[in-house]
Amino acid sequence: MDIVLLAKAAVMGIVEGLTEFLPISSTGHLILAGSLLGGFGDNRGKVFEIAIQTGAIFAVILVYWQKIKSTVVALPRQPKAQRLALNIFIGFLPAVVLGLLFGKVIKEHLFIPTVVASTFIIGGFIILWAEKRPPGSVRVEHVDDLTPWDALKVGLVQCFAMIPGTSRSGSTIIGGMLLGLSRQAATDFSFFLAIPTLIGAGLYSIYKERAALSMADIPLFAVGLVFSFISAWLCVRWLLKFISTHNFIPFAWYRIAFGILVLATAWTGTVVWAD
């Protein structure tokens, strides 16, 4: 296995882990990082970018382990645990249905740097708008208080993340806040919803493109998964502390500034962003 390629896999894993659960789009950053690094534009590279999300999910499972464990144990007898499990299932369904219907078309036509940069900017302004909502607009303070209707609406909003650069976390967290969830409840539900969504997407992608993969790819995927897990674990722990005293406005300005930078470098030819 090429050492340079393994180093690129490590960088991609770090990018995935640091951006997956922030409202700044991991897919968008991976597309841009892959364009700069090279060697990740074929089908194998696209599978790799989706598969390493599993490493980030393991980090969420570790951080939320006590909550997940208590919910599973209480599932047969406790209505609160049953409601949370049902809500996660309901929120997961729209991504499955719409992903199967439109995923291929979106990947063929929208997974390009200029689209990513544009959605970075648009998403930044949406975050600024969401953070200006009046304090009295919060209906749901805790993730256990979500209704199935709330879960379905957040699940539908999550589908906007099929457009690269939008951000799955950004869609669910900011969308949840606009739908009346507190910042903490929206963040927690976004993380729980990520578990089946990203694991399912990773397994489906590997299965669908299995002909393009070989045993020789195992070290590449392993390096990406490990670095994705470590960086995501650090990022999730930091984010949960951050949102207890801060809002998401800094991420909005980051998205806007970074999107403008990508568009400017693309238009001027300073950086050749590969399509």
Side-chain angles (χ1 to χ4, degrees):
M1 176 61 68
D2 187 350
I3 297 298
V4 174
L5 192 57
L6 289 178
K8 290 180 179 180
V11 172
M12 294 289 279
I14 292 171
V15 171
E16 161 61 26
L18 291 179
T19 58
E20 180 60 56
F21 301 107
L22 300 179
I24 57 175
S25 178
S26 63
T27 301
H29 280 80
L30 287 173
I31 291 172
L32 298 177
S35 295
L36 289 176
L37 293 173
F40 288 91
D42 57 5
N43 286 341
R44 183 184 65 165
K46 293 177 181 178
V47 175
F48 171 82
E49 292 174 8
I50 296 173
I52 61 174
Q53 294 174 342
T54 307
I57 285 302
F58 287 150
V60 166
I61 293 173
L62 181 61
V63 172
Y64 281 90
W65 176 245
Q66 290 302 322
K67 176 67 174 177
I68 294 171
K69 179 182 177 182
S70 63
T71 299
V72 172
V73 170
L75 202 55
R77 64 183 187 281
Q78 191 179 93
K80 183 173 73 172
Q82 294 167 359
R83 184 168 63 251
L84 177 58
L86 176 63
N87 286 341
I88 293 172
F89 177 73
I90 291 173
F92 169 63
L93 283 180
V96 175
V97 175
L98 295 182
L100 291 174
L101 290 175
F102 303 110
K104 183 177 180 180
V105 175
I106 290 173
K107 288 180 181 179
E108 287 178 351
H109 299 286
L110 298 183
F111 273 53
I112 55 176
T114 50
V115 170
V116 172
S118 300
T119 51
F120 270 10
I121 296 169
I122 295 170
F125 283 112
I126 292 174
I127 292 175
L128 292 176
W129 173 50
E131 287 290 3
K132 290 184 177 180
R133 63 185 181 146
S137 62
V138 174
R139 297 182 296 103
V140 181
E141 291 288 351
H142 194 272
V143 69
D144 290 328
D145 300 326
L146 265 75
T147 66
W149 179 235
D150 290 325
L152 178 60
K153 288 188 289 185
V154 174
L156 289 170
V157 170
Q158 178 178 236
C159 294
F160 283 107
M162 293 171 60
I163 302 171
T166 302
S167 171
R168 192 208 62 82
S169 294
S171 296
T172 50
I173 295 174
I174 303 304
M177 290 169 58
L178 290 173
L179 292 169
L181 279 63
S182 68
R183 187 177 288 105
Q184 185 67 56
T187 302
D188 287 342
F189 191 64
S190 173
F191 286 173
F192 288 131
L193 193 56
I195 296 173
T197 301
L198 298 187
I199 289 178
L203 293 176
Y204 176 71
S205 179
I206 291 173
Y207 173 76
K208 189 172 66 171
E209 301 292 344
R210 61 191 183 279
L213 304 175
S214 68
M215 295 297 290
D217 294 319
I218 291 179
L220 180 74
F221 279 63
V223 168
L225 283 167
V226 169
F227 279 89
S228 173
F229 168 79
I230 295 172
S231 56
W233 180 76
L234 294 171
C235 185
V236 169
R237 287 170 59 87
W238 172 82
L239 181 62
L240 291 175
K241 293 179 181 178
F242 178 85
I243 64 171
S244 64
T245 54
H246 298 78
N247 58 34
F248 289 114
I249 288 178
F251 299 111
W253 288 117
Y254 168 80
R255 290 180 63 110
I256 293 169
F258 192 48
I260 291 173
L261 178 64
V262 172
L263 288 178
T265 55
W267 287 338
T268 61
T270 306
V271 177
V272 178
W273 301 98
D275 290 347

